[in-house]
Structures are given as structure tokens and as C-alpha cells.
Amino acid sequence: MSKQIDTRQLRVLQALLEECSITRAAKILDQSQPHVSLTLRKLRDTIGDPILVRSGAKMVLTERGLALRGHVRAVLDGIDKIIGSPDHFDPATSTKAFRIASADCMEAIFLPPLIQRLRQAAPESRVIVRGIDAGFDYAGALERDELDAVICNWPGAPSHLKTAHLMTEDIFCLMGAQHPLAGRARLTIDEYLAAGHIAPVALSRADPGPIDMQLAQHGLRRNIHTMVAEFNLIPHVLMGTDLIFTSSARFSGYFSSLMPLCSIAAPHEVGSLRFYLLWHERAQSDARNIWLRSQISGVARSLGTTQTKAATL
């Protein structure tokens, strides 16, 4: 059977190698001299070398002891990294890119203040943002360390991902100023279902999106006339058609302040939109990822929750 040495013995050995004195090693370790002497005898037997020998009035390391210094220090440093606290993350000096995937409806509202925060706090780090389309395996990208975080507005993320609620938004309908329903305070459910709708392409048949999922809970289904892949193209389509787009109050309020569009509260049956932050279990204790998640949550808190009216930025 191979000889064994435990961490406590290694720490005594390191003190002896550094101090070349049983008395000083005991003081540093806050142990008694007899205990350190006993450990040294065990170490000599395990290693097969005296390690520390007397030379006149002092003690000196053997050749083997001198050779052990670097090895013992490296082993204990490795153990400390395994069982110690996560490494400190300094955003001011970090150069590693932040990789974020975001639902399209968040791009105009959430991402600008987030990028501004990251740019100010971590000026040497790039920020890489990508959208989430039907062909993108965001869960796999998180698992493979190709993404740091996902910002989305659909529930039911894979169970192996960590999830945190970011914010809740009331739902509004965006339409052209010329639309027959423009100017109302809120649409009725009959008006809403009778209208033609435009929507982004669904991620999959099993996941039609939060709006249609919430309508389905009431046994309702809207008439989606047009589907487009590019989310931010939708406001431009609305200006020349009689279609309605359903999204968050903040998104609708933002585009109605920039373009000849009208923002109207959706029927109560449509519910509200909840936004989530997703990350992988492997990054749960990573100092850099913890910091990034705190910045994302900070933006959500600064935006707050809308209350049944179109928000202005």
C-alpha cells in the first residue's frame, strides 16, 4: 500500500520547510511544539527523509527538504482553490466577453441600459448579444459554455437550467394610427379575436409563445394573419396594414412614441408577460457570472413593473 499524507500534515510540513524551526512553525500554526514534533516524525517516516536536521544551534533543510518546498506550496495552493471561495471578479480589468442571448422583444427596451452598465463597469470586455430563433439551442449553448446568460419571456425552461424572475409587464396592442380600433383605452376580447394579428415566428409547434399559451388557457385563439422572423420589422408593417401586434407595454409605448402607431391595453384575458433570466448550473458559483447576473437583475429593477398603461422611456 502506498504511503499517505493528509492536508493537516502538509500544512505542518509547509511551515517547517518555510521556517526551518519547530518552535516558529508551532507558533504560526497555533499548535503545541510536541504536536509539531510528532507530525515531523510521521512525515520523516512517510517521506523517507529527515527533512529538517540540526546544524549547530539551528536547524536546516536536507536536500530532499529543499526540493519539497515548491511541490508542497503548489499542492496546498491547489487544495485551497478547490475548497476555498470562488475567485474574485474585477469587472474593471476583465477582458473576457459577456455572451448573452435575448428574446427579441427585449432588444429595444432592456438591452440598451444593460449594455451601458456593462460598458461603464467592464470597459475592456466585449458584449456579444444574439437573438433566439427556432433553430437556436440556447440550453445547449449554456451547457457548452457558449453563452453566459439568457433573457427570455417564456416559462417552462429546461429543468437543468437555473431560473430567476426578472420583471412583469402588462400586455398592450400596437397598431397603426389609421387602424379602426386606434384610440381606445382597452380592447375587448371580442374586438381582439376578430382582428387580424401579426406575430414573430414561433420557436416551435410545442412552444407557440407566451401570448398564445395564455389565450389557450381560456380556450381562445387569435387570428394570426402574418408571421415574420425579424421582430423589429413588425412596427414598420403595422403602419401600412390593419394588423395588431401584441407585446409588452414598454415595447408598445416605446415604438408608439417613435412612429405613427397607437398603443392600447390588451384584453384582461391575455394576461401579462413575465421575463426570466436563465443560466446553467455550472456557472452558479462563478464570480464573473454572479456579477453579470447582478447587472441584469439591476436593470430589471431600474425598469420596474408596468401598471396597466403604456410606458414611456
Side-chain angles (χ1 to χ4, degrees), residues 40-107:
L40 177 57
R41 288 198 296 271
K42 292 179 179 179
L43 287 167
R44 285 169 169 167
D45 181 63
T46 300
I47 295 172
D49 186 88
I51 304 171
L52 197 62
V53 295
R54 186 163 296 281
S55 178
K58 62 181 181 179
M59 299 190 78
V60 296
L61 296 176
T62 64
E63 291 298 320
R64 175 72 167 147
L66 286 169
L68 286 174
R69 268 181 169 174
H71 296 305
V72 172
R73 189 181 301 118
V75 169
L76 288 174
D77 285 346
I79 291 173
D80 289 340
K81 287 181 179 179
I82 292 171
I83 65 177
S85 301
D87 292 337
H88 173 70
F89 173 69
D90 182 6
T93 59
S94 176
T95 58
K96 187 175 180 180
F98 296 108
R99 304 154 304 171
I100 303 167
S102 172
D104 289 343
C105 59
M106 301 291 282
E107 290 179 353

Side-chain angles (χ1 to χ4, degrees), residues 234-256:
I234 293 175
H236 298 275
V237 175
L238 294 175
M239 289 191 296
T241 67
D242 62 350
L243 297 173
I244 289 175
F245 179 55
T246 309
S247 187
S248 70
R250 206 176 298 273
F251 180 93
S252 296
Y254 175 76
F255 277 101
S256 63

Side-chain angles (χ1 to χ4, degrees), residues 32-299:
S32 68
Q33 289 188 42
H35 184 270
V36 173
S37 295
L38 177 61
T39 303
L40 177 57
R41 288 198 296 271
K42 292 179 179 179
L43 287 167
R44 285 169 169 167
D45 181 63
T46 300
I47 295 172
D49 186 88
I51 304 171
L52 197 62
V53 295
R54 186 163 296 281
S55 178
K58 62 181 181 179
M59 299 190 78
V60 296
L61 296 176
T62 64
E63 291 298 320
R64 175 72 167 147
L66 286 169
L68 286 174
R69 268 181 169 174
H71 296 305
V72 172
R73 189 181 301 118
V75 169
L76 288 174
D77 285 346
I79 291 173
D80 289 340
K81 287 181 179 179
I82 292 171
I83 65 177
S85 301
D87 292 337
H88 173 70
F89 173 69
D90 182 6
T93 59
S94 176
T95 58
K96 187 175 180 180
F98 296 108
R99 304 154 304 171
I100 303 167
S102 172
D104 289 343
C105 59
M106 301 291 282
E107 290 179 353
I109 309 304
F110 199 94
L111 294 182
L114 175 59
I115 292 172
Q116 182 181 19
R117 270 188 180 231
L118 299 179
R119 177 64 180 159
Q120 290 175 346
E124 301 302 318
S125 296
R126 290 187 301 155
V127 181
I128 302 173
V129 180
R130 66 150 297 157
I132 301 173
D133 53 42
F136 180 52
D137 178 15
Y138 68 88
L142 286 171
E143 183 175 355
R144 294 189 299 271
D145 193 25
E146 296 170 1
L147 276 179
D148 296 310
V150 171
I151 303 169
C152 67
N153 65 337
W154 57 84
S159 59
H160 66 281
L161 297 183
K162 307 292 287 185
T163 305
H165 173 245
L166 282 177
M167 56 192 293
T168 299
E169 286 267 277
D170 291 323
I171 297 179
F172 271 60
C173 295
L174 191 63
M175 62 194 74
Q178 80 292 341
H179 197 284
L181 298 175
R184 301 179 181 231
R186 180 184 295 274
L187 297 183
T188 67
I189 189 62
D190 290 336
E191 291 170 333
Y192 182 83
L193 296 178
H197 294 259
I198 184 172
V201 175
L203 291 179
S204 68
R205 289 186 178 181
D207 183 12
I211 304 297
D212 294 287
M213 289 175 66
Q214 289 176 149
L215 285 172
Q217 292 176 0
H218 296 279
L220 303 173
R221 183 176 180 180
R222 59 178 172 163
N223 174 27
I224 300 178
H225 177 273
T226 303
M227 301 185 78
V228 296
E230 179 55 47
F231 197 90
N232 291 315
L233 173 65
I234 293 175
H236 298 275
V237 175
L238 294 175
M239 289 191 296
T241 67
D242 62 350
L243 297 173
I244 289 175
F245 179 55
T246 309
S247 187
S248 70
R250 206 176 298 273
F251 180 93
S252 296
Y254 175 76
F255 277 101
S256 63
S257 70
L258 296 178
M259 303 167 68
L261 298 171
C262 181
S263 180
I264 301 174
H268 293 293
E269 290 85 350
V270 180
S272 59
L273 280 176
R274 292 172 63 86
F275 295 90
Y276 302 90
L277 171 62
L278 310 179
W279 66 98
H280 197 272
E281 176 69 34
R282 60 166 186 77
Q284 172 69 11
S285 301
D286 177 66
R288 178 178 163 279
N289 197 278
I290 291 172
W291 183 85
L292 175 61
R293 299 196 308 260
S294 73
Q295 300 307 301
I296 295 172
S297 297
V299 171

